[in-house]
Amino acid sequence: MGERTRVTFTFNGASCQATPGESLAAALLSSGVRSLRRSRRTGEPRGVYCGIGLCFDCIVTVDGRPNTRACMTLAEDGMRVESQAASIGQQT
Amino acid sequence: MPGARRRARLTVYTTDVLIIGGGLAGCATACHLAASGVETTLVERGGLNRAASGTNAGSMHFQLRRHDQISPARGQLIRGGLAEWRSIGEEFGPAIGMRMDGGLMVAETPDELTRLHAKIKTERELGLTSEVLQGRELADLAPALATDLAGATFCPEEGLVNPLLATGAFASAARGHGADIRTGCEVSAVDVIDSGGFIVHTRTGPLRASRVVNAAGAWAGQIARLAGVPIPLTGGVQMVSATARQPPVLTQLVQHVARALTLKQTMDGTFLVGGGWSGAVPRGGPRPSWESLAGNAFLACRVVPGLRAATLLRSWTGTIAMTPDRLPVAGESARLPGWFSLVAPRGAAGYTVTPYLARLLASDLANGGDGGSAMPSVFSPDRWSADG
Amino acid sequence: MTVDHADLAADVDLVVVGGGPAGLAAAIEADRCGVSTRLIDDRPTLGGQIFRQPSPSLPDRRVLTTKPEHARGLALLSRLRQSRVQQVTSATVVDISPGGPFRIQYVRGDRTDSVRARQVILATGAYDRPVALPGWTLPGVVAAGGAQAMAKSHGVLPGRRVVLAGSGPLLLTFAVQLHRWGVQVAAVTELAGRPRARDLAALARRGALAPDYIRQGLQCAGYLAAHRVPVHFRTRVTRILGSEQVTGVILSRVDHGGRPLVGSDRTVQADCVCLGYGLVPSPELARLSGCEMVPDLERAMNVPARGALLETSVPGLFAAGDGVAVRGSAVALLEGQIAGLAAGRNLGRGTGERFEQRLRPLRARLGRSLAFQATLSAVYPAAISGCDLATAETVLCRCEEVTCGELSAAIAAAAPLADASVVKGMTRAGMGLCQGRMCAANVYELIASATGVAVTAVSAFTPRPPARPVPFGAVASRVDYDGGDGDIPEDPDCIS
């Protein structure tokens, strides 16, 4: 299995690469992206914390689906990954 | 002790009205009573708002699933409840997570749609402004609904409240008016004083009261027996489930004309799914039933398909009072003067009607029996006893 | 009340929840006894955390698992492959209802599968203790276990210049691992003091495992010294610096109670902090199943009560390994075997002589391993606070962003009836996506110290399904379409 087969996805519009079987969190970390979103209440930056799918801090919105853990989701070609909106759930 | 009246020879704390039960019924009654200047004490065995009042799904619903079962008393409750929650909204609204953006009762089949048309006539007579919506109109109002529903009635007067906050708001107001509210204070016995009044024995000592209100919800049967005026009231276990926060897509309360369903998106963005589905009671005590969770979820997802992608996080049970006729137990007992009751059981839209009933009861207590009572006699606590 | 488990109508004899050391050992042993077994794990590959296998597509040169762990894991997995155990992966158990056969619900993808089993073994493992300190929510702060998982599975390193802060026998080993992976280890802080000669002597007396352990510890210490990695004993990271991500830490020396000593602060630059303060068990399924929980005073937590054969208070339900209490993989393997054997006996397989023959050496080895673990706690504290460094502004509930100060205020307002459920309702702590896993222990600790009760006596969050967050659509099923309109069960507490 060569590294030639790479997977390409976007994070907030920017193109990112991953090896097949790599999680979104790992792929983003490899490209130096550690801040995945802003927290809802205080707007603080959040990224990967527990790394094993329990803390739900690394949530991103994948192809429109919110609350998706980056550390548990394998990167796939063409995935559209976005920072989970801080305002999710806030009523105007 | 604040508010205590200690006479030289009596060492018993004395009050005018003692309310047993710290849910919505007890706290709302305490608030109205204290505001009228009546000396009021409330005792709750655990913490406030821990049972049905705090575990229901927070639906403010007035629409009828069965329009042919409307009685004058039920009609009074709907009118009264509407007015009552409107004024609560004005006073506490945002603080208790209230949103009154209306309610939608959906129909899946043509038969169910017929039922919708039949019931709005009755609802309009009761002061609700229900109308049937279909197709484009319905989709524009509530785009999150499935597009293949036969239709829905929209009732602008309905909405939702955060049940974790409402009781506390009444309790704070009650305390502000001078009511003494005690938690961790379980009632173990009730002595009837021949010359009038009661001695109620609690975990923290005896209390003497001229009048008592049994507002103990699902435990009101136990309390009633202590006073020698039993009522056939038991407790039943229901459950609710909740999702994580989702993008806001729904502002109305959603129900189903032919099935048990309540579905709403709260001010926090979470979805609460309920409607009275049963819990389970294995040896370890009440817990949610997986079958109910799955069935309730199926119905909710059928009505709002976007819910499929929502993250289910929590479920819980609550114990609700149950009476054989599904009507409230409210008013003074003729079997035992001075002994009042206020319980809204399953089937009576308890959360919706309780503050109104509490106002009626408080008014009766404050007037001391003068000027008649607006409390419907069909709610009498004596209706099951031979001479009731 | 004896339950004749063998007669219960079920789909399978035994369900094992969790495919780490305890679960694998249990499934293999049960299968040996002729017990039909289904092993359910929530990851795509088995092995749990310690035997975590690299992602199948990861190029070999990027594999970062240590050789001994890797080999042991492979050996177990190989034995499992040769067995008749049904393996279900990427499946999350969300509910277990006991009574008659156990009904286990697990979610895979967008559907829920249901299985009835005569016996259940819970082997749910453990996760990094959440330790709240100022700055712990910054990107770049990772749990040590998570950092290892990312490294093992994906060959990804947690940062370039790492401070490793924590306590316990695995801390130095992890430091060596990090360094071998090419990370610059700026500092290691160990809460406990440097092991004393008499502690090492006590360990050495404990038998077979001790020389390996001590040798490994000395090797690690030697390696780190040779590579000039600063190791600070009786020291903690008390604050993590940075605004968008980690830029450094403040270290302080601490006293025997773990409290920072005034005037001993130093700043160390780093882009990553690994918090390795030990592991805490995942008891959710045990509690959900109705297991009686009893206090483990040494660890200051409640654990499922178990008999000598590891059966809980729920007949036919066993619990093994770190999911009960964290005691390491050697204990987990042995407990798994014992539970598998005992489950087989409950079903009438492997009874009598062969059972005792098989059990005796396992019990003996388990006893020695447990004794060794107990001695370790003389060196490393078994009960560590996850929030004694938190200030009023420190977020304690990460999901709902509830601070330590807000929790303390709620506890004070609710006193004396401040139990976890009340505080949850007031602050939303515990109501977020992680279902309280990152904050529950710290919430209990705050309540305990405010109300003066033992932390094990604090009334905890009520266990309810789903045991893990799952898509709502996956749960939906037509099992009981009219479940809201019929009779509802009576609550026996209300009978008058």
Side-chain angles (χ1 to χ4, degrees):
Chain A
M1 171 98 42
E3 288 202 48
R4 270 159 260 217
T5 35
R6 303 217 96 205
V7 158
T8 308
F9 64 95
T10 60
F11 180 61
N12 292 336
S15 184
C16 293
Q17 299 222 304
T19 46
E22 200 168 31
S23 70
L24 286 175
L28 287 166
L29 250 165
S30 291
S31 351
V33 175
R34 294 212 285 177
S35 175
L36 297 177
R37 65 182 175 98
R38 316 300 298 195
S39 69
R40 189 186 49 88
R41 218 178 151 198
T42 54
E44 287 169 351
R46 296 287 182 98
V48 173
Y49 170 65
C50 82
I52 59 173
L54 291 180
C55 76
F56 282 80
D57 240 20
C58 66
I59 46 175
V60 286
T61 298
V62 175
D63 296 334
R65 244 178 24 249
N67 299 331
T68 307
R69 291 163 292 177
C71 71
M72 297 291 278
T73 308
L74 299 185
E76 279 168 33
D77 236 2
M79 256 183 177
R80 191 183 81 249
V81 182
E82 295 156 308
S83 290
Q84 177 118 334
S87 63
I88 190 172
Q90 265 169 359
Q91 310 294 331
T92 46
Chain B
M1 282 180 280
R5 279 184 295 154
R6 289 175 172 274
R7 296 185 203 142
R9 284 151 66 180
L10 276 177
T11 55
V12 176
Y13 174 88
T14 302
T15 190
D16 184 359
V17 176
L18 176 66
I19 300 171
I20 302 174
L24 186 59
C27 292
T29 305
C31 176
H32 295 311
L33 273 177
S36 312
V38 176
E39 191 190 15
T40 307
T41 304
L42 183 152
V43 289
E44 158 57 52
R45 69 172 184 171
L48 299 183
N49 204 42
R50 297 301 300 274
S53 297
T55 53
N56 70 86
S59 307
M60 284 289 109
H61 60 107
F62 300 100
Q63 289 191 59
L64 312 164
R65 281 175 59 189
R66 308 289 302 269
H67 70 280
D68 52 338
Q69 282 177 351
I70 199 74
S71 63
R74 185 105 190 264
Q76 180 185 339
L77 285 180
I78 289 174
R79 287 195 184 91
L82 262 172
E84 190 62 34
W85 276 104
R86 262 196 206 114
S87 75
I88 292 169
E90 275 152 31
E91 195 177 340
F92 299 131
I96 60 174
M98 181 183 255
R99 156 191 274 162
M100 302 302 271
D101 284 354
L104 289 158
M105 185 171 280
V106 306
E108 289 183 68
T109 68
D111 276 350
E112 291 169 10
L113 181 60
T114 307
R115 281 169 66 171
L116 292 186
H117 283 290
K119 78 185 182 70
I120 58 172
K121 181 169 173 300
T122 312
E123 287 168 357
R124 285 184 184 150
E125 285 164 9
L126 294 170
L128 304 171
T129 59
S130 314
E131 55 174 325
V132 176
L133 298 179
Q134 288 177 269
R136 186 49 152 311
E137 258 192 313
L138 183 57
D140 285 348
L141 179 67
L145 288 181
T147 49
D148 61 342
L149 297 169
T153 40
F154 176 62
C155 174
E157 289 80 18
E158 293 186 319
L160 51 117
V161 181
N162 185 343
L164 293 174
L165 301 176
T167 299
F170 276 108
S172 294
R175 283 184 170 121
H177 290 302
D180 179 7
I181 296 183
R182 306 175 178 200
T183 54
C185 196
E186 182 161 13
V187 169
S188 53
V190 175
D191 295 336
V192 179
I193 303 170
D194 287 340
S195 53
F198 306 86
I199 305 256
V200 175
H201 298 272
T202 77
R203 206 171 65 81
T204 57
L207 294 129
R208 183 178 176 143
S210 308
R211 297 163 294 169
V212 172
V213 177
N214 179 3
W219 293 265
Q222 290 180 345
I223 298 297
R225 186 174 57 75
L226 289 180
V229 281
I231 50 178
L233 186 151
T234 54
V237 179
Q238 297 182 320
M239 62 168 290
V240 179
S241 52
T243 69
R245 299 164 196 280
Q246 309 294 141
V249 295
L250 180 70
T251 60
Q252 300 91 358
L253 167 68
V254 174
Q255 303 166 84
H256 193 300
V257 71
R259 308 278 182 219
L261 175 71
T262 66
L263 164 57
K264 62 181 70 70
Q265 188 167 22
T266 68
M267 302 294 287
D268 291 313
T270 62
F271 278 91
L272 294 188
V273 173
W277 288 69
S278 51
V281 192
R283 196 139 47 110
R287 55 156 272 162
S289 133
W290 187 264
E291 288 68 35
S292 283
L293 184 49
N296 204 351
F298 182 87
L299 187 48
C301 290
R302 189 272 174 271
V303 175
V304 175
L307 265 181
R308 297 196 165 276
T311 307
L312 173 66
L313 268 195
R314 299 179 292 124
S315 69
W316 62 88
T317 54
T319 295
I320 191 171
M322 301 199 292
T323 56
D325 54 13
R326 298 193 170 208
L327 291 177
V329 184
E332 186 171 16
S333 181
R335 289 177 286 169
L336 183 58
W339 182 266
F340 292 75
S341 302
L342 182 60
V343 182
R346 179 190 185 208
Y351 204 73
T352 311
V353 306
T354 290
Y356 170 64
L357 285 173
R359 183 183 287 283
L360 287 189
L361 190 74
S363 172
D364 289 351
L365 283 159
N367 298 335
D370 302 332
S373 167
M375 187 70 77
S377 59
V378 293
F379 300 159
S380 164
D382 303 320
R383 63 190 187 263
W384 299 282
S385 64
D387 41 83
Chain C
M1 182 190 86
T2 47
V3 179
D4 197 346
H5 300 274
D7 276 352
L8 296 170
D11 305 309
V12 77
D13 282 333
L14 171 68
V15 158
V16 176
V17 181
L24 290 171
I28 290 165
E29 186 65 40
D31 178 73
R32 271 177 79 144
C33 299
V35 171
S36 65
T37 303
R38 183 175 303 186
L39 173 64
I40 303 173
D41 191 88
D42 60 354
R43 294 201 59 247
T45 51
L46 296 176
Q49 302 307 330
I50 194 160
F51 294 148
R52 187 179 266 258
Q53 299 300 304
S55 183
S57 54
L58 195 67
D60 277 344
R61 64 179 174 77
R62 287 181 68 186
V63 166
L64 294 178
T65 309
T66 67
K67 287 207 177 51
E69 278 173 1
H70 191 56
R72 253 159 116 207
L74 281 180
L76 260 185
L77 291 168
S78 163
R79 282 169 65 196
L80 185 78
R81 261 197 307 277
Q82 289 157 29
S83 74
R84 286 155 301 177
V85 174
Q86 306 163 18
Q87 300 165 39
V88 184
T89 53
S90 298
T92 306
V93 174
V94 286
D95 196 14
I96 300 181
S97 341
F102 294 90
R103 283 184 314 286
I104 298 105
Q105 318 287 344
Y106 54 96
V107 172
R108 296 172 72 196
D110 59 357
R111 48 168 292 128
T112 301
D113 286 325
S114 192
V115 58
R116 292 169 308 165
R118 298 183 179 90
Q119 306 272 287
V120 173
I121 297 176
L122 298 177
T124 48
Y127 60 99
D128 287 282
R129 180 194 310 277
V131 174
L133 61 146
W136 76 302
T137 57
L138 279 169
V141 180
V142 290
Q148 285 175 313
M150 299 258 272
K152 287 182 190 176
S153 280
H154 306 293
V156 168
L157 299 175
R160 276 191 293 267
R161 189 176 151 86
V162 174
V163 168
L164 174 55
S167 184
L170 302 174
L171 191 70
L172 293 191
T173 313
F174 184 46
V176 169
Q177 257 179 345
L178 280 169
H179 191 273
R180 283 211 173 106
W181 290 338
V183 169
Q184 186 189 4
V185 184
V188 180
T189 66
E190 161 61 68
L191 163 67
R194 192 184 296 270
R196 299 166 298 185
R198 69 181 144 174
D199 297 320
L200 295 177
L203 281 171
R205 283 196 294 275
R206 282 297 177 186
L209 285 171
D212 287 343
Y213 171 79
I214 296 174
R215 179 174 49 240
Q216 191 185 17
L218 290 171
Q219 280 176 339
C220 287
Y223 177 99
L224 294 169
H227 290 89
R228 300 200 199 294
V229 173
V231 178
H232 309 281
F233 290 91
R234 280 260 184 262
T235 304
R236 301 175 78 180
V237 167
T238 54
R239 176 176 286 272
I240 300 172
L241 307 170
S243 59
E244 282 303 300
Q245 53 183 319
V246 175
T247 56
V249 302
I250 295 184
L251 318 180
S252 302
R253 286 188 48 79
V254 298
D255 63 17
H256 280 62
R259 287 173 294 261
L261 295 170
V262 174
S264 69
D265 290 0
R266 313 176 25 212
T267 305
V268 173
Q269 289 186 331
D271 71 346
C272 172
V273 180
C274 287
L275 296 173
Y277 278 95
L279 303 172
V280 289
S282 292
E284 296 86 14
L285 287 179
R287 297 185 68 225
L288 192 52
S289 310
C291 290
E292 184 199 345
M293 305 292 282
V294 291
D296 176 333
L297 295 172
E298 186 196 332
R299 293 179 178 81
M301 59 175 59
N302 290 312
V303 298
R306 299 179 302 165
L309 296 177
L310 311 182
E311 197 166 4
T312 66
S313 64
V314 175
L317 181 74
F318 298 80
D322 279 358
V324 173
V326 177
R327 292 146 305 150
S329 61
V331 168
L333 287 165
L334 290 164
E335 285 200 341
Q337 282 187 273
I338 291 170
L341 200 56
R345 188 178 69 157
N346 274 3
L347 294 165
R349 327 286 167 81
T351 50
E353 258 274 295
R354 271 184 52 217
F355 174 79
E356 284 301 328
Q357 258 181 348
R358 192 118 181 87
L359 181 68
R360 207 172 306 122
L362 291 175
R363 292 273 297 272
R365 284 162 59 196
L366 178 62
R368 287 194 294 272
S369 280
L370 287 172
F372 177 74
Q373 288 289 322
T375 314
L376 269 182
S377 65
V379 180
Y380 301 104
I384 295 178
S385 166
C387 58
D388 61 344
L389 293 175
T391 66
E393 295 76 34
T394 307
V395 162
L396 228 59
C397 167
R398 295 175 70 107
C399 297
E400 295 292 311
E401 300 171 77
V402 184
T403 65
C404 187
E406 285 168 330
L407 277 162
S408 298
I411 294 167
L417 292 173
D419 67 26
S421 303
V422 168
V423 171
K424 180 191 221 183
M426 293 168 75
T427 61
R428 287 194 64 90
M431 287 168 85
L433 276 168
C434 87
Q435 299 178 313
R437 285 176 174 85
M438 298 295 122
C439 67
N442 290 331
V443 170
Y444 305 156
E445 193 181 318
L446 279 188
I447 293 173
S449 52
T451 57
V453 305
V455 70
T456 48
V458 172
S459 188
F461 294 146
T462 312
R464 297 154 175 147
R468 292 277 196 88
V470 286
F472 203 46
V475 164
S477 126
R478 280 193 77 115
V479 281
D480 185 1
Y481 202 56
D482 290 321
D485 283 328
D487 289 337
I488 60 176
E490 283 194 18
D491 188 338
D493 193 53
C494 303
I495 293 172
S496 60

